[in-house]
Structure formats: structure tokens, C-alpha cells
């Protein structure tokens, strides 16, 4: 037994091929190009098939990781995807955008001494293989219960709820405010990280399972939660996302050329403005671009700006690289593509010309002081360190707040002081009877997989409510 | 899909009326609210304040001026054709209240938006004088409808071809001097709303304007429609589209409306090249 383990440890992780940085920095094609069958099986064989798999406990939706990897290692691709689908309706998405390094892969025993199994890459491979070569056969569904569920929002949590409840026999309708389903997966995450055809295929999988999808339906405006109940829905899940862009409240913020990351990415991704004028929605193409913020959304914005032909793209962040909230891999990818990090730098005001267009910004140098409430060292301005950065486009990616569109129209649902929906932590139940909520509108901006985890929890609770009455 | 059931060309084809099947929106729509329309898969999302809605027929009416690529594309849609997407009703409805003497000032296609508001103000018992204007007689829209919706209709043309020779602001100021006006509602080109607000400020008459800045989602998510109102940043899509005219920073709004001027030219040229090659 020991010998077997030693033998496996010697194999190093199979890297996923990627487009060259210089090439990909100017196109919108996906950056990692995917495993071949041989690569996937070679990587799958590295898995030790632990009896108590740490990876699985690290997964917010509890994917049976050793299970699907075992199917894959044995060449049973259908078995692998079936196994994945039983816990995760969106494997092609999760394989690409989950922060595996702090979840499944972060708990992999192989990672203690060497490199963990590339679980994300393998998940992606299984989903892609099924989409390209699979039988298209759907997983089994339970008998119809006759209960109707409305899911508000078609982002990762809403799609998870819909997928879980449709297979449990309920009648599910998703209401989406935009003209296309997918939420942040279509408007937020760029094509080069998550191709939209893949999201469409995941959404289509749910449609094939029988989920109704109503686009252009702004719940809170077109229809209210109470009207949905009056129409005969037995339960409602609210997964509308955070959806309120934060700005920095600096002088000059409304100059032309300053966009929220929400707007910039929505234009680029949902509206496909990078194809302008073949499509009708324009997007500002900056020569010198500054992105404010250092999370994944900031990285996505910066990398998009580079692909739209910028001469220079700078990430301006008031703390140091260590505190950057973005995934390490995203920062690495951005830097490889020529994006500059201006750390310990804080903007103080925007500068514009007589036409009201952005020409630059004034910044201050910062240094790290004592730790603040978040445990990170507080950035403190260095007196007299003002300097100017020239830019004609600034993308503000400093986080988002709770969009009040739905919640302000729903008076009997309790919100916290920041406007997020208050829910029971175990079940996702809100204070309004028959209504559950999850994802960013409960937690504030987080990850795709955490939203999916919340969706899973709520779906279980909704199922209990519909079948057992509690 | 949202089918066009009635279409009219006004002012020689530069202004188009579409009555569109949208039963869910029609059921909820109130004066002052807007919709976002998208013609086809690659289309742009265009916000337009509704000119009318009919909950029984399940239709809404929009009236738009053909100014760029997207509206030129809208113009190609005939009765029986459909918009791929219509989203709404969005924004806050007009706060209609009985206050007494009211002046409604409209310019360009703003008159279309003003119409249901004027009608609503009259219905709840206000004494409504309406002033509508255009550059020249042929560009005037909805004269008959506005006459019915108000107690007194005044018309102005810049070139004197019809009604008062001059601007709507001149006629408005005459009334402000003689009558005790309680409210002015001004909807039209930004310079008109700015001029109206500058005058009414002097008379201390509350003034409401309806703004139509560039936006994407219309639900408060993108922040593209930022306007400065009383030194605060507001989102026109959820905080508006109507605001206190005395507090709006019109100069900033004008600059923000020109954000994509160059791109719009490229797009319109691209559209015309393709259309003309067919």
C-alpha cells in the first residue's frame, strides 16, 4: 500500500495548456484550452481515492470528488458527469471559476507535500466532454409533485435551486430581469474566462430538464412576490445578486470615462460590445486605463480593457499585493498579460477636460499601519505624496451593495442595516412565509460556488416545505 | 417577442409611434415610467419613457425620434414585426397631486412623455395649461391629444410657422407673471429643461423634469445613468426618471449624453452601409 502511494506522489500535476500571454491579451478566446482525454486520465490517476476525502468537505455543494474522478480514471465519462450532476448542475462553470485552491484542492492530501489533484480542471473536462461528445441523455427526474416554485434571478444560486427542484419533481420557473439567463455568469464573468456558449449550454440543460425561463421579467417591477403567490406559486427563491455598484465618492466621479465594473463588464459580456460595431452596444476603449480595486471583478475589468486594445492598464489598490482579494491565478494571468499593479496607491480625485471627459486622476501613496477590523493592516496616506496618473478610462471595481429594487417593494421581508435579506442560516428561509433567499443578496458579494451552496441549502429546505410542510 | 400592433410615422418620418403588445408591462405601467427595448439579438438596450399604456388591450405605446443606429433599426420594424425584448415598467411613476394651476411644457418627443402626465394632472382636478414647442410647424407632434389632455394649449415654433413665434420659455414666463402657478412639468431636450428650470427658479415655482440619460440595465445595476441632483449622485433609472428641475446639473447631463458620440457615428455609418448594400 505504501509503495503504491509513493509511486503516485512522484507524478506531478498535469498542467492545462493555455494561450500564450501576448496572444491572448488581444483576443477574447478562453485562456486555458482544456485537457485532452489522455491528460485528464493521467491527472485522474493521481487521485489517492482517500477514504475520508478532505476535498469533498471543502466543496460548498459537496461534490463526490473521488467518485467522479474514479469514473474518469476508468474511462467512464457518462458515469463521471452523472456523478457530478447529482451534486452540481453547473460543472462546466465551477470547473472554470471556483476558487479551488481554497476549497477542494486546498484540502487535497497530495497538496501537503506537493501539488494537489487538479480537481477543477477535471471537473471542467468532464462537463466539456459531455457537452461535445456526450449522449445528451438527461439524469432521471422524480415524479411530478404538482407544486410550483418561482426562482427570481438566473445566476448561479438560482440555477442551482432550479436544477435541484426540477429533478425532485417540482414545476420550476425562473424569472430573469435581463434579456438572457445566467446572471453574473453572462453579464459579469468575461468570455475569456467563461465562454458564454458554455453558460448557454448549462442553462439549456436546465430547460431540457423542464425548467421554464422567463427573461425580461423584473420581479419588483413587472411582477411582485405577492402576485407570484397569487398566480399559484407555492414557494419563491430570491437570488437576485448584489447588483448595486459602489463608487468612491471622489470629486469628478461623473466625468465621461468613469464606469462601474458592472456597466463596463455588462457592455463587454452580456451586450458583446467587444464586437462593436457588428453589435450595436458601444464600449469605451481607453488608451490608458485605470482599474480601481483588486478583486476578481477588477482583474476581469483590467484584462477586458487590455483585450480592447489599451496601451496601458493599471490596477490601483490602496493596500499591498498580499491583501489583494483576487485569486492568485487571476492576478498572475493579469500580470502575464501586461497589466501593471500600482499598489499602496489611493485615488483622491478625478481630473477632466472642458468636455467633461476624464484625463487623469490624482493619487496618494499609502503605507501599511496597524491591523484594522478586517485583520489586514490599515493603509495610511503618506503626507505630501500626491501624484497624477494619466488615464482616459477608469473602471471602478471596489465592490457592490444590495440593490433595493425587489426588496423595497417587498415590505414584509426583513433586511439587515445594509439592505441585504435576513435569512435563517441553515435553511435560507426569509422572514416572509414561503420565500427563501441566497447568494449575494444575502451575503454581499461573494463567489459563484458560495451562491450555489446557498442555493443547494435553500432547495433542500424548499423541498421539505413543499413535501412535508416544514 | 413583443409585437407591434400599430405604427405611425410623424413629422415626415423622423418621429415614429409604436403600439406594442406587452400585457404584463401594460398592467403595471404608470405615467412617467419607462421601458427598455431591444430590437434583435445584437441590438442595443434603449430606454424610452412610455407615451401611453392600455391594460385592457395589453399594449404600451412609445414615440421616438430617429437619431442613431438603434432608432434607425427600430424604424424598420413594421406592424406585425416584433421587438425581441421589452423590459419594464421601470423607474418611479409621476407623483400626481392636486395642487391648482399647473403648466406642462413639452419639446420634441418629450411631448409624448408629457401627454399621459398632463392627462393625469387634469383628471385629478388641476387647472392645466400646456405649452408645446418645436423648431417648425411640421415637427410638432400630438397637438390634438395635448389639446384634449389640458384646459389650455399654447403652441410655439422657433421659426414662427405656427403659434407663438419663439421659445416655450417666453410663453411660460408670461403665465408665471400673471398667474399663481403651483407646479411646472418640463419634458424635452435637456437645454429646454434647463432653460425652463432657470426661469421657474426665479418665480419659486416647483419644477419637475424627466431625464433620459444613457443606461444599460435600467434596474440600478450599472450606474451608467448617474446624474447629479442637488450635489448628490442619483441613478435616473431607479431614483428617477423624474427629478426636481431646480437641482439637476444639466451641463453634466449634456456631457454624459455625448459619451458615445463618436461610436454612435461609426455604428450608424456601419448600419447605413449594410442597409444600402442590400
Amino acid at each position: 500500500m505504501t509503495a503504491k502511494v509513493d509511486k503516485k506522489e512522484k507524478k506531478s500535476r498535469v498542467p492545462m495548456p493555455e494561450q500564450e500571454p501576448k496572444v491572448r491579451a488581444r483576443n477574447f478566446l478562453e485562456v486555458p484550452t482544456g485537457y485532452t482525454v489522455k491528460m485528464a486520465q493521467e491527472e485522474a490517476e493521481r487521485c489517492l481515492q482517500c477514504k475520508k476525502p478532505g476535498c469533498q468537505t471543502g466543496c460548498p455543494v459537496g461534490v463526490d470528488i473521488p467518485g467522479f474522478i474514479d469514473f474518469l480514471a476508468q474511462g467512464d465519462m457518462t458515469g463521471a458527469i452523472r456523478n457530478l450532476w447529482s451534486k452540481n448542475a453547473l460543472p462546466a462553470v465551477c470547473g472554470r471559476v471556483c476558487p479551488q485552491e481554497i476549497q477542494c484542492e486546498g484540502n487535497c492530501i497530495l497538496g501537503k507535500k506537493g501539488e494537489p489533484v487538479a480537481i477543477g480542471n477535471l471537473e471542467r473536462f468532464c462537463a466539456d466532454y459531455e457537452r461535445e461528445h456526450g449522449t445528451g441523455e438527461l439524469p432521471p427526474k422524480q415524479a411530478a409533485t404538482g407544486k410550483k416554485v418561482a426562482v427570481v434571478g438566473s445566476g448561479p444560486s438560482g440555477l442551482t435551486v432550479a436544477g435541484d427542484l426540477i429533478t425532485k419533481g417540482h414545476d420550476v420557473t425562473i424569472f430573469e430581469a435581463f434579456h438572457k439567463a445566467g446572471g453574473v455568469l453572462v453579464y459579469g464573468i468575461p468570455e475569456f474566462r467563461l465562454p458564454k456558449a458554455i453558460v448557454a449550454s448549462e442553462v439549456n440543460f436546465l430547460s431540457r430538464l423542464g425548467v421554464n425561463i422567463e427573461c425580461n421579467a423584473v420581479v419588483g417591477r413587472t411582477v411582485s412576490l405577492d402576485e407570484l403567490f397569487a398566480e399559484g406559486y407555492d414557494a419563491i427563491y430570491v437570488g437576485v445578486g448584489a447588483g448595486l455598484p459602489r463608487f468612491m465618492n471622489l470629486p469628478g466621479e461623473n466625468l465621461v470615462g468613469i464606469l462601474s465594473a458592472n456597466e463596463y463588464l455588462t457592455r463587454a459580456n452580456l451586450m458583446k460590445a467587444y464586437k462593436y460595431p457588428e453589435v450595436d452596444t458601444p464600449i469605451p476603449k481607453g488608451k490608458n486605463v485605470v482599474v480601481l480595486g483588486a478583486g476578481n471583478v477588477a482583474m476581469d475589468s483590467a484584462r477586458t480593457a487590455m483585450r480592447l486594445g489599451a496601451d496601458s492598464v493599471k490596477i490601483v489598490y490602496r493596500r499591498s499585493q498580499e491583501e489583494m482579494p483576487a485569486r492568485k491565478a487571476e492576478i498572475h494571468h493579469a500580470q502575464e498579460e501586461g497589466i501593471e499593479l500600482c499598489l499602496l496607491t489611493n485615488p483622491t480625485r478625478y481630473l477632466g477636460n472642458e468636455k467633461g471627459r476624464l484625463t487623469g486622476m490624482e493619487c496618494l501613496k499609502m503605507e501599511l499601519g496597524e491591523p484594522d477590523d478586517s485583520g489586514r493592516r490599515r493603509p495610511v496616506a503618506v503626507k505630501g505624496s500626491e501624484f497624477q496618473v494619466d488615464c482616459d478610462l477608469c473602471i471602478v471595481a471596489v465592490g457592490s451593495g444590495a440593490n433595493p429594487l425587489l426588496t423595497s417593494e417587498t415590505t414584509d421581508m426583513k433586511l439587515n442595516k445594509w439592505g441585504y435579506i435576513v435569512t435563517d442560516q441553515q435553511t435560507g428561509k426569509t422572514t416572509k412565509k414561503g420565500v427563501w433567499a441566497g447568494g449575494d443578496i444575502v451575503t454581499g458579494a461573494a463567489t459563484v460556488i458560495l451562491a450555489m451552496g446557498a442555493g443547494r441549502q435553500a432547495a433542500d429546505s424548499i423541498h421539505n416545505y413543499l413535501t412535508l410542510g416544514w | 417577442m413583443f409585437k407591434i400592433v400599430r405604427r405611425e410615422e410623424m413629422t415626415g418620418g423622423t418621429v415614429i409611434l409604436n403600439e406594442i403588445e406587452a400585457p404584463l408591462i401594460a398592467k403595471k405601467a404608470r405615467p412617467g415610467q419607462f421601458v427598455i427595448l431591444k430590437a434583435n439579438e445584437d441590438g442595443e438596450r434603449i430606454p424610452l419613457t412610455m407615451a401611453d399604456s392600455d391594460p385592457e388591450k395589453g399594449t404600451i405605446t412609445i414615440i421616438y425620434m430617429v437619431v442613431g443606429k438603434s432608432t434607425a433599426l427600430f424604424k424598420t420594424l413594421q406592424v406585425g414585426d416584433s421587438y425581441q425584448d421589452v423590459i419594464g415598467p421601470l423607474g418611479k411613476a409621476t407623483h400626481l397631486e392636486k395642487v391648482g394651476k399647473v403648466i406642462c411644457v413639452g419639446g420634441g418627443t418629450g411631448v409624448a412623455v408629457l401627454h399621459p402626465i398632463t392627462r393625469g394632472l387634469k383628471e385629478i382636478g388641476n387647472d392645466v395649461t400646456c405649452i408645446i414647442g418645436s423648431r417648425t410647424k411640421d415637427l410638432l407632434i400630438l397637438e390634438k391629444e395635448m389639446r384634449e389632455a389640458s384646459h389650455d394649449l399654447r403652441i410655439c415654433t422657433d421659426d414662427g410657422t405656427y403659434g407663438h413665434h419663439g421659445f416655450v420659455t417666453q410663453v411660460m414666463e408670461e403665465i408665471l407673471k400673471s398667474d399663481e402657478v403651483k407646479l411646472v412639468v418640463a419634458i424635452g431636450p435637456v437645454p429646454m429643461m434647463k432653460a425652463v428650470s432657470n426661469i421657474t427658479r426665479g418665480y419659486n415655482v416647483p419644477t419637475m423634469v424627466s431625464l433620459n440619460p444613457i443606461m444599460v440595465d435600467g434596474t440600478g445595476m450599472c450606474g451608467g445613468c448617474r446624474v447629479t441632483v442637488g450635489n448628490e449622485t442619483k441613478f435616473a433609472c431607479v431614483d428617477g426618471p423624474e427629478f426636481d428641475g431646480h437641482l439637476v446639473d444639466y451641463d453634466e447631463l449634456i456631457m454624459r449624453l455625448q459619451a458615445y458620440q463618436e461610436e454612435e457615428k461609426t455604428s450608424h455609418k456601419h448600419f447605413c452601409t449594410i442597409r444600402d448594400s442590400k
Side-chain angles (χ1 to χ4, degrees):
Chain A
M1 194 65 199
T2 322
K4 195 182 166 192
V5 170
D6 283 349
K7 192 181 150 205
K8 286 199 172 180
E9 273 184 344
K10 276 178 199 158
K11 283 190 182 166
S12 59
R13 179 169 158 132
V14 179
M16 185 176 280
E18 289 178 354
Q19 281 196 73
E20 286 298 317
K22 271 196 179 150
V23 175
R24 70 180 195 240
R26 298 296 186 191
N27 72 44
F28 278 85
L29 301 176
E30 194 172 13
V31 171
T33 51
Y35 277 158
T36 60
V37 175
K38 189 165 166 279
M39 288 171 175
Q41 286 190 317
E42 192 183 325
E43 182 61 23
E45 279 162 14
R46 290 181 67 226
C47 175
L48 301 181
Q49 293 292 322
C50 302
K51 288 226 166 59
K52 285 184 186 169
C55 54
Q56 192 168 353
T57 55
C59 175
V61 296
V63 165
D64 171 16
I65 293 164
F68 96 80
I69 292 181
D70 193 35
F71 278 115
L72 179 54
Q74 303 195 17
D76 181 354
M77 307 303 183
T78 306
I81 192 69
R82 282 290 168 93
N83 182 294
L84 274 166
W85 275 341
S86 72
K87 292 287 184 185
N88 184 346
L90 309 170
V93 172
C94 290
R96 288 172 164 82
V97 304
C98 271
Q100 288 98 6
E101 65 281 5
I102 57 165
Q103 295 175 167
C104 53
E105 293 180 21
N107 284 356
C108 174
I109 194 87
L110 287 184
K112 295 237 176 355
K113 279 186 179 168
E115 292 172 302
V117 174
I119 300 165
N121 291 352
L122 293 177
E123 182 181 27
R124 168 185 162 159
F125 171 82
C126 292
D128 289 358
Y129 190 90
E130 166 65 20
R131 193 176 61 254
E132 287 157 16
H133 310 286
T135 58
E137 197 186 325
L138 293 169
K141 254 167 77 173
Q142 289 172 22
T145 61
K147 300 285 184 185
K148 281 176 74 177
V149 182
V151 173
V152 185
S154 66
S157 82
L159 293 176
T160 300
V161 171
D164 280 11
L165 294 178
I166 196 82
T167 49
K168 289 187 166 133
H170 307 295
D171 183 351
V172 182
T173 301
I174 297 179
F175 295 87
E176 166 56 44
F178 269 131
H179 55 269
K180 193 168 279 180
V184 74
L185 308 175
V186 294
Y187 76 74
I189 302 176
E191 180 76 17
F192 55 84
R193 267 209 311 132
L194 180 62
K196 300 310 141 213
I198 289 170
V199 181
S201 156
E202 302 268 45
V203 171
N204 185 43
F205 168 68
L206 293 179
S207 299
R208 286 169 54 219
L209 279 170
V211 175
N212 304 309
I213 300 176
E214 298 277 351
C215 289
N216 300 324
V218 186
V219 177
R221 286 281 195 265
T222 318
V223 64
S224 69
L225 294 185
D226 288 330
E227 285 166 334
L228 289 175
F229 281 126
E231 281 177 25
Y233 286 94
D234 299 291
I236 301 174
Y237 177 76
V238 177
V240 293
L244 184 73
R246 258 196 212 123
F247 288 89
M248 294 190 62
N249 292 320
L250 299 177
E253 198 137 62
N254 292 343
L255 288 164
V256 173
I258 303 167
L259 280 75
S260 72
N262 272 359
E263 178 178 4
Y264 187 69
L265 292 174
T266 300
R267 284 179 182 274
N269 303 328
L270 176 73
M271 306 311 294
K272 303 209 178 295
Y274 62 90
K275 294 183 182 170
Y276 187 88
E278 274 71 40
V279 302
D280 297 344
T281 305
I283 189 164
K285 291 184 182 178
K287 276 199 168 16
N288 297 302
V289 183
V290 165
V291 177
L292 301 178
N296 290 322
V297 172
M299 298 304 133
D300 285 346
S301 302
R303 297 173 71 194
T304 298
M306 188 57 94
R307 282 161 174 76
L308 285 169
D311 292 339
S312 89
V313 181
K314 294 184 174 75
I315 300 263
V316 169
Y317 181 50
R318 63 199 180 113
R319 300 178 194 256
S320 71
Q321 183 158 357
E322 204 175 307
E323 288 89 12
M324 286 176 76
R327 289 178 71 188
K328 294 257 180 319
E330 298 303 323
I331 300 170
H332 174 70
H333 272 145
Q335 285 185 297
E336 275 188 337
E337 290 165 15
I339 286 148
E340 204 182 318
L341 303 182
C342 296
L343 303 165
L344 293 166
T345 302
N346 203 27
T348 50
R349 66 189 177 105
Y350 298 97
L351 310 167
N353 63 17
E354 71 291 347
K355 289 180 175 167
R357 289 182 179 255
L358 180 72
T359 55
M361 62 176 69
E362 189 179 87
C363 297
L364 274 175
K365 278 283 163 206
M366 309 295 277
E367 55 190 14
L368 293 179
E370 294 300 308
D372 61 15
D373 296 344
S374 72
R376 300 179 296 182
R377 291 177 66 194
R378 186 193 301 273
V380 186
V382 178
K383 269 199 185 136
S385 66
E386 288 89 351
F387 67 103
Q388 282 188 11
V389 179
D390 288 344
C391 60
D392 54 356
L393 177 63
C394 173
I395 301 149
V396 185
V398 295
S400 50
N403 188 315
L405 195 78
L406 181 146
T407 52
S408 64
E409 297 292 312
T410 314
T411 47
D412 48 351
M413 189 164 63
K414 202 177 159 199
L415 308 179
N416 69 16
K417 65 177 172 177
W418 299 284
Y420 293 106
I421 300 174
V422 173
T423 61
D424 177 82
Q425 288 207 346
Q426 301 305 313
T427 61
K429 276 183 186 172
T430 70
T431 54
K432 185 174 170 68
K433 189 173 162 51
V435 180
W436 282 254
D440 286 3
I441 192 59
V442 171
T443 58
T447 60
V448 166
I449 189 68
L450 285 175
M452 291 177 64
R456 163 66 39 77
Q457 213 171 35
D460 288 345
S461 173
I462 293 170
H463 180 65
N464 287 339
Y465 174 79
L466 295 177
T467 53
L468 306 168
W470 48 269
Chain B
M1 300 295 268
F2 299 81
K3 197 160 92 184
I4 298 172
V5 295
R6 182 164 69 98
R7 179 183 184 279
E8 281 175 29
E9 292 200 1
M10 301 169 166
T11 68
T14 55
V15 173
I16 310 288
L17 175 149
N18 281 167
E19 187 177 343
I20 304 163
E21 270 179 9
L24 290 176
I25 300 173
K27 207 165 97 184
K28 283 289 186 73
R30 308 282 309 135
Q33 288 189 300
F34 69 96
V35 288
I36 285 184
L37 303 105
K38 187 167 149 297
N40 56 28
E41 184 61 27
D42 292 333
E44 191 180 4
R45 292 168 65 99
I46 299 291
L48 286 171
T49 306
M50 286 176 275
D52 209 351
S53 61
D54 186 335
E56 271 137 45
K57 268 173 82 183
T59 60
I60 58 163
T61 301
I62 52 154
I63 295 177
Y64 61 89
M65 192 183 295
V66 181
V67 286
K69 156 75 202 270
S70 292
T71 42
L73 177 64
F74 285 5
K75 191 187 170 181
T76 64
L77 301 176
Q78 303 298 322
V79 170
D81 291 343
S82 294
Y83 285 89
Q84 184 168 310
D85 303 288
V86 181
I87 301 108
L90 299 169
K92 289 183 176 160
T94 308
H95 174 68
L96 296 171
E97 194 185 331
K98 187 177 172 183
V99 290
K101 174 91 184 171
V102 178
I103 305 178
C104 292
V105 187
T109 49
V111 176
V113 176
L114 191 63
H115 177 240
I117 296 169
T118 308
R119 192 173 55 196
L121 285 167
K122 185 182 170 186
E123 274 168 9
I124 57 169
N126 290 291
D127 173 12
V128 184
T129 296
C130 200
I131 311 166
I132 59 174
S134 65
R135 225 165 54 234
T136 184
K137 186 185 177 193
D138 295 343
L139 296 179
L140 203 68
I141 63 166
L142 302 179
E143 180 189 345
K144 182 173 142 273
E145 289 82 355
M146 291 310 279
R147 203 175 292 285
E148 281 166 14
S150 56
H151 294 95
D152 179 19
L153 177 74
R154 314 280 183 91
I155 291 165
C156 310
T157 49
D158 297 0
D159 63 358
T161 43
Y162 192 39
H164 171 78
H165 184 176
F167 297 130
V168 287
T169 42
Q170 295 163 339
V171 175
M172 178 186 75
E173 190 153 17
E174 289 307 314
I175 304 171
L176 289 175
K177 277 180 190 159
S178 60
D179 295 5
E180 201 190 327
V181 177
K182 295 291 186 192
L183 172 72
V184 169
V185 180
I187 306 177
V190 181
M192 184 207 90
M193 294 191 282
K194 181 183 174 184
V196 166
S197 300
N198 281 343
I199 292 169
T200 57
R201 191 181 288 116
Y203 291 86
N204 223 359
V205 178
T207 300
M208 197 196 76
V209 295
S210 179
L211 310 182
N212 194 13
I214 295 170
M215 54 178 78
V216 181
D217 60 290
T219 61
M221 207 201 79
C222 85
C225 63
R226 314 202 282 292
V227 285
T228 301
V229 181
N231 295 320
E232 264 183 70
T233 293
K234 299 278 183 187
F235 289 181
C237 67
V238 286
D239 300 323
E242 290 170 4
F243 292 102
D244 179 341
H246 294 157
L247 299 178
V248 172
D249 183 339
Y250 295 101
D251 296 335
E252 179 188 274
L253 176 62
I254 289 169
M255 289 190 288
R256 289 187 64 80
L257 281 167
Q258 290 168 352
Y260 295 99
Q261 213 170 28
E262 285 309 306
E263 287 88 345
E264 278 161 12
K265 276 184 209 155
T266 314
S267 179
H268 199 199
K269 207 174 142 199
H270 182 79
F271 174 74
C272 295
T273 314
I274 291 173
R275 185 191 57 194
D276 298 342
S277 69
K278 275 181 189 163

